Amino acid sequence: EPEVTQTPSHQVTQMGQEVILRCVPISNHLYFYWYRQILGQKVEFLVSFYNNEISEKSEIFDDQFSVERPDGSNFTLKIRSTKLEDSAMYFCASSADVNTEAFFGQGTRLTVV
Amino acid sequence: AQSVTQPDIHITVSEGASLELRCNYSYGATPYLFWYVQSPGQGLQLLLKYFSGDTLVQGIKGFEAEFKRSQSSFNLRKPSVHWSDAAEYFCAVGLSGNTGKLIFGQGTTLQVKP
């Protein structure tokens, strides 16, 4: 069964460092998303991406965040200068269409120290 | 603003007992509705979805959910819970014609007693 894969599963980084979280969406999907879940809180939408551009972003997704689909298979989330409050589980998701179900990856747990 | 409410943060049921997890949403039109499950250390797995048509939808693992427009609810049910159902359950709303963004509820943690 096709699945969304994310790497790494866990990343520890120092405050102020840049991190790149990687995702391989399902191959025939066209819509890509990042969500995050701070420990004990709800899953929050960060950004949606279609046709090589951001289609929507939340207020969380400020200038420190960027997304890219560098090679037609990977979908990355970059945090330029991490803060302690960026510590969270980050989920990548993809969907075939905007009005179909999204499939989620296993998540990357980011710990900023 | 659109929102999703799961009133129960924790629920404990005995194995074999029935289960109902509540979900209410606030949105002007009929949204797309989803239930996802997250087992410890795992990602989000889709249990079931409602887009249109029959308001009672069947999902995986013996779960079902009923969309009630008049109550803005999409409650998840299972007639007989198994110990392996212990997990966190998230209700989510997708807005039609949108960018695919989902709005999640706070989640309900299900504990199953032997």
Side-chain angles (χ1 to χ4, degrees), chain A residues 3-9 23 37 89-93 103-109, chain B residues 37-45:
Chain A
E3 59 180 16
V4 176
T5 56
Q6 290 185 243
T7 54
S9 56
C23 169
Q37 183 183 28
M89 181 74 90
Y90 288 81
F91 291 106
C92 173
F103 293 84
F104 283 76
Q106 300 288 79
T108 293
R109 179 162 296 287
Chain B
V37 61
Q38 184 182 30
S39 299
Q42 302 294 309
L44 296 163
Q45 182 183 21

Side-chain angles (χ1 to χ4, degrees), chain A residues 60-72:
Chain A
I60 303 168
F61 194 90
D62 61 22
D63 291 344
Q64 292 300 309
F65 291 87
S66 62
V67 289
E68 195 178 29
R69 189 154 159 80
D71 56 14

Side-chain angles (χ1 to χ4, degrees), chain B residues 57-83:
Chain B
V57 294
Q58 303 297 320
I60 62 171
K61 305 185 183 191
F63 285 93
E64 66 177 28
E66 186 171 12
F67 168 57
K68 291 186 177 179
R69 186 190 308 273
S70 61
Q71 298 176 19
S72 297
S73 69
F74 189 56
N75 294 349
L76 181 72
R77 299 195 293 251
K78 186 169 184 178
S80 177
V81 167
H82 188 261
W83 64 266

Side-chain angles (χ1 to χ4, degrees), chain A residues 3-12 19-25 34 73-78 89-92 104-110:
Chain A
E3 59 180 16
V4 176
T5 56
Q6 290 185 243
T7 54
S9 56
H10 191 187
Q11 176 140 9
V12 181
V19 294
I20 296 176
L21 309 183
R22 301 180 193 280
C23 169
V24 179
W34 284 100
S73 62
N74 291 284
F75 179 51
T76 61
L77 174 69
K78 183 194 293 186
M89 181 74 90
Y90 288 81
F91 291 106
C92 173
F104 283 76
Q106 300 288 79
T108 293
R109 179 162 296 287
L110 177 65

